[in-house]
Amino acid sequence: MPASRLFTPFEVRAVRLPNRVVISPMCQYSATDGFAGDWHFAHLAKFAIGRAGLVFTEAAAVEADGRITHGDLGIWRDEHIAPLQRITAFVKAQGSIPAIQLAHAGRKASMQRPWFGNGPLDETDAQRGEVAWPIVGPGANPLGPGWLTPHALTKSEMQRITQSFVAAAARADRAGFDVVEIHAAHGYLLHSFLSPLTNPRTDVYGGSRENRMRFPLEVVAAVRASWPAAKPLFVRVSAVDDLEGGWTIDDSIAFATELKRLGVDVVDCSSGGALGSATAAAKPLTPRVPGFQLPFAEAIRAGAGIATMAVGLILDAHQAEAALQAGQADLIAVGREALYDPNWALHAARALGDDPRFERWPEQYGWWLTRRQPLLERERRD
Ligand SMILES: Cc1cc2nc3c(=O)[nH]c(=O)nc-3n(C[C@H](O)[C@H](O)[C@H](O)COP(=O)(O)O)c2cc1C
């Protein structure tokens, strides 16, 4: 039995995560026409080698126009399956569980890759072959001055997007993913319906909270109905908009209650992004201190009675363990800290005393490290 909760397996439907460390979805902006390449393989493989229990791909677009940038991963064509299958096979061979996040960027589509400016695609990008494309949203309200004006989705277009999520989930199943997460956070399409700051509709998809939740819930219900019953479904939310007059934690608890009713297994609790970047908000109401989103995971877990995944500046093993022990969340996602240390899970197990003899490490590494350890200890004693 592991001493820590972080390394106690997590069972959900027929899937057993070997531990509670999750690699958070992280866009690499490095795909061509949505296809995963060698970068995606190496990027995700190293987290499985590092023994994270659940390894998420970045947001994969369910339609080509639902990409944030030209470099986004995609899953809108059957041809996208094969390179993803190579990734899931490797992740599973390492004993980790492969997961994919499904997304439509909505009014935040057609952007520059971060290193080309993170703004709307312009003439400079067009010269590189990265031409802007028409975008969609709940209404014809752009993200801000200078951004593209979205086309306000009609009911039949929304039904088409719902079916794109369903088809993408079917491809994810064929590609070997065991967990699907629907992206309903960070100002992308589904979140833009939820937030009163971004949804100007006057039909049954706008106005009251119940109406604003309708389209995201339709997508979730349709995916849940077709995604295998043995496989868990996660939904990522922006637990709060973190802006005056925006989506609140009470709204998230109401939403999570509906998600639970529809058969969602885990709510992944992020925040922000309605009107700009989720990771680099200019003046967030919630200070960006370590674990700043943990209270959201805790409130949703308690308020809706559903398992939650916490994320956001969770930096070290003891912080993660304390959050689990305190009942704030069931799973701990690490993003940037895993970029800094792809072996975050293995190092966490050592820090928590759960792996004194490197038994969790791949034998290709562990065999050597076990034998090196006495030398290091002797060196320290002398
Ligand atoms: C490079 C990068 C790409 C990201 N891409 C996504 C994404 O595809 N989907 C998503 O929901 N969040 C995305 N995020 C947000 C992360 O999943 C995570 O919530 C955020 O970085 C906070 O966690 P951290 O402090 O551990 O990095 C991204 C973050 C980074 C740094």
Side-chain angles (χ1 to χ4, degrees):
M1 244 331 249
S4 71
R5 189 139 177 84
L6 194 59
F7 286 87
T8 301
F10 180 70
E11 289 185 19
V12 51
R13 296 191 184 245
V15 174
R16 185 174 197 262
L17 312 188
N19 60 61
R20 290 155 188 259
V21 179
V22 180
I23 300 300
S24 206
M26 279 184 286
C27 286
Q28 298 298 291
Y29 309 105
S30 302
T32 305
D33 295 328
F35 282 91
D38 284 350
W39 176 265
H40 301 87
F41 180 84
H43 165 68
L44 296 167
K46 71 182 192 283
F47 299 129
I49 291 173
R51 297 297 187 253
L54 187 64
V55 178
F56 263 104
T57 69
E58 65 198 82
V62 300
E63 294 189 349
D65 286 356
R67 285 177 292 176
I68 308 166
T69 76
H70 280 276
D72 285 24
L73 193 65
I75 188 156
W76 67 86
R77 290 169 54 183
D78 287 350
E79 290 79 4
H80 288 138
I81 294 173
L84 293 171
Q85 221 159 24
R86 181 171 165 244
I87 295 170
T88 61
F90 183 85
V91 169
K92 284 181 184 171
Q94 298 306 309
S96 300
I97 302 294
I100 187 165
Q101 188 186 51
L102 302 181
H104 190 299
R107 65 193 209 122
K108 286 175 114 176
S110 195
M111 279 177 65
Q112 297 164 323
R113 301 179 205 223
W115 42 86
F116 291 142
N118 234 3
L121 285 168
D122 62 20
E123 266 315 298
T124 333
D125 304 295
Q127 280 163 20
R128 247 196 339 270
E130 304 206 329
V131 180
W133 65 88
I135 63 170
V136 300
N141 47 341
L143 196 55
W147 291 84
L148 287 179
T149 298
H151 157 72
L153 285 167
T154 63
K155 172 100 205 262
S156 68
E157 289 163 342
M158 287 157 65
Q159 284 166 342
R160 187 206 67 227
I161 291 175
T162 302
Q163 287 317 308
S164 296
F165 270 95
V166 169
R171 289 186 198 103
D173 184 39
R174 284 166 59 198
F177 289 100
D178 287 333
V179 173
V180 150
E181 175 171 276
I182 295 175
H183 197 344
H186 302 167
Y188 299 116
L189 186 64
L190 300 183
H191 178 202
S192 69
F193 272 79
L194 292 173
S195 173
L197 299 175
T198 51
N199 181 343
R201 296 179 80 97
T202 52
D203 63 359
V204 293
Y205 293 100
S208 67
R209 178 171 74 196
E210 190 188 353
N211 281 358
R212 283 179 278 116
M213 295 197 312
R214 193 179 309 278
F215 178 50
L217 291 176
E218 283 175 3
V219 170
V220 168
V223 170
R224 184 64 277 178
S226 65
W227 178 240
K231 296 190 176 188
L233 180 63
F234 291 22
V235 173
R236 174 166 272 203
V237 298
S238 278
V240 298
D241 277 341
D242 216 24
L243 295 162
E244 289 301 336
W247 180 259
T248 66
I249 191 67
D250 288 341
D251 294 328
S252 282
I253 292 169
F255 187 51
T257 304
E258 291 303 306
L259 294 175
K260 184 181 176 187
R261 195 177 53 77
L262 293 177
V264 168
D265 301 287
V266 175
V267 177
D268 174 6
C269 304
S270 187
S271 72
L275 303 180
S277 164
T279 36
K283 282 193 196 126
L285 293 175
T286 313
R288 297 300 192 249
V289 295
F292 69 101
Q293 291 172 155
L294 277 168
F296 305 142
E298 182 176 19
I300 292 172
R301 191 170 187 264
I306 191 165
T308 58
M309 179 154 100
V311 66
L313 289 181
I314 299 176
L315 303 175
D316 76 76
H318 295 285
Q319 180 195 9
E321 177 66 13
L324 294 178
Q325 294 281 358
Q328 291 185 291
D330 301 86
L331 297 171
I332 297 292
V334 279
R336 290 162 293 184
E337 198 60 15
L339 299 181
Y340 180 68
D341 174 12
N343 290 333
W344 193 90
L346 288 169
H347 292 149
R350 300 267 307 158
L352 295 172
D354 257 337
D355 190 23
R357 284 181 292 281
F358 297 95
E359 283 158 353
R360 292 181 185 275
W361 288 67
E363 61 192 355
Q364 295 93 328
Y365 299 171
W367 195 89
W368 304 97
L369 297 176
T370 327
R371 282 155 184 80
R372 186 186 67 158
Q373 192 61 17
L375 306 179
L376 298 183
E377 278 162 17
R378 200 173 57 209
E379 188 70 17
R380 242 174 258 134
R381 273 199 311 272
D382 292 346

